[in-house]
Amino acid sequence: MGAYRADDDYDYLFKVVLIGDSGVGKSNLLSRFTKNEFSLESKSTIGVEFATRSIHVDDKIVKAQIWDTAGQERYRAITSAYYRGAVGALLVYDVTRHVTFENVERWLKELRDHTDANVVIMFVGNKADLRHLRAVSTDDARAFAERENTFFVETSALESLNVDNAFTEVLTQIYHVVCRKTLEIGDDPAALPKGQTINIGGRDDVSAVKKAGCCSA
Ligand SMILES: Nc1nc2c(ncn2[C@@H]2O[C@H](COP(=O)(O)OP(=O)(O)OP(=O)(O)O)[C@@H](O)[C@H]2O)c(=O)[nH]1
Ligand SMILES: [Mg+2]
């Protein structure tokens, strides 16, 4: 039937949320990843938007449903609904505005208060293209990520630097956590190591495994 696959032809669907202060570039990271588009004059997000993109991990199709909301409190939707079912998050700050880096602890707390303990978190320093305006060092950000046990990358939505990598890494990590759970549950549920499970079967969860079967790794 040719190389085309229907949009709903996927093996896994994962909900991923974007969080971080207003203006750090969440919406542009999303549009760069899902549409390869960037806008210098994008407006603040109001409410919630989402977009999808499918990628291959091993021989499986992983579809990401990525949610984006406003960094500003007054434009944000109901917090618990935004996080419900999320298995991954990109926590974004702006490398040229130190205050956005200082606020990540608050974002991290909100994220952890509302999601499974094993949500995969990518800490993202965006606007790396603005080299002359840098206000947060890579070392400081990496140290924070190590302390908080999250992944870390610097990106530029403008220059398409590391944007695909950031999303792909999150999706791949989620995929491996989900696979591990399936495999180990198949063996002996009691043997599940702490800190490695992700709830994907709950009724309210958007993220779900569509078909049975898992990674070969
Ligand atoms: N130089 C540069 N500018 C960027 C980059 N990413 C986003 N911007 C600009 O930063 C501004 C804010 O970007 P948005 O994507 O709207 O930010 P946001 O985090 O979605 O903001 P809220 O919706 O208000 O929470 C826009 O003017 C973008 O063009 C980047 O990588 N480099
Ligand atoms: Mg936005």
Side-chain angles (χ1 to χ4, degrees), residues 1-192:
M1 298 273 284
Y4 294 97
R5 306 185 74 148
D7 188 44
D8 62 350
D9 188 7
Y10 56 83
D11 299 296
Y12 296 88
L13 174 65
F14 296 145
K15 175 177 172 180
V16 173
V17 291
L18 282 158
I19 52 171
D21 279 6
S22 180
V24 296
K26 299 180 296 297
S27 299
N28 276 281
L29 287 166
L30 180 59
S31 66
R32 178 61 86 193
F33 181 62
T34 57
K35 298 186 283 192
N36 199 20
E37 285 176 11
F38 177 85
S39 163
L40 266 178
E41 283 126 43
S42 62
K43 297 199 174 69
S44 269
T45 306
I46 295 177
V48 177
E49 296 170 1
F50 74 88
T52 61
R53 181 176 154 188
S54 296
I55 63 162
H56 281 88
V57 181
D58 294 344
D59 59 342
K60 299 286 193 284
I61 300 173
V62 169
K63 180 172 177 175
Q65 186 186 82
I66 305 154
W67 292 46
D68 177 28
T69 189
Q72 285 179 63
E73 203 65 51
R74 64 193 160 123
Y75 292 144
R76 297 185 68 202
I78 301 162
T79 306
S80 56
Y82 186 68
Y83 288 108
R84 186 172 305 133
V87 288
L90 278 80
L91 170 46
V92 188
Y93 69 98
D94 175 346
V95 299
T96 72
R97 284 194 297 143
H98 201 271
V99 65
T100 67
F101 177 67
E102 290 157 31
N103 285 337
V104 294
E105 286 200 41
R106 194 174 59 79
W107 287 108
L108 201 55
K109 181 173 184 329
E110 182 179 288
L111 174 70
R112 289 190 165 141
D113 281 351
H114 288 89
T115 52
D116 186 275
N118 304 295
V119 62
V120 174
I121 304 169
M122 177 65 79
F123 186 44
V124 179
N126 189 41
K127 309 198 187 180
D129 55 284
L130 299 174
R131 289 162 192 93
H132 51 297
L133 295 175
R134 179 182 282 273
V136 181
S137 77
T138 306
D139 284 349
D140 283 357
R142 186 176 293 120
F144 175 83
E146 277 170 13
R147 213 165 49 238
E148 294 294 341
N149 215 3
T150 71
F151 297 92
F152 168 62
V153 70
E154 288 186 347
T155 58
S156 166
L158 173 72
E159 291 183 347
S160 271
L161 174 78
N162 279 337
V163 179
D164 273 22
N165 289 347
F167 284 99
T168 302
E169 180 69 14
V170 167
L171 295 169
T172 305
Q173 292 297 337
I174 297 168
Y175 171 77
H176 284 307
V177 173
V178 168
C179 289
R180 233 180 282 142
K181 181 180 180 184
T182 308
L183 290 173
E184 282 163 10
I185 280 180
D187 272 297
D188 172 13
L192 254 180

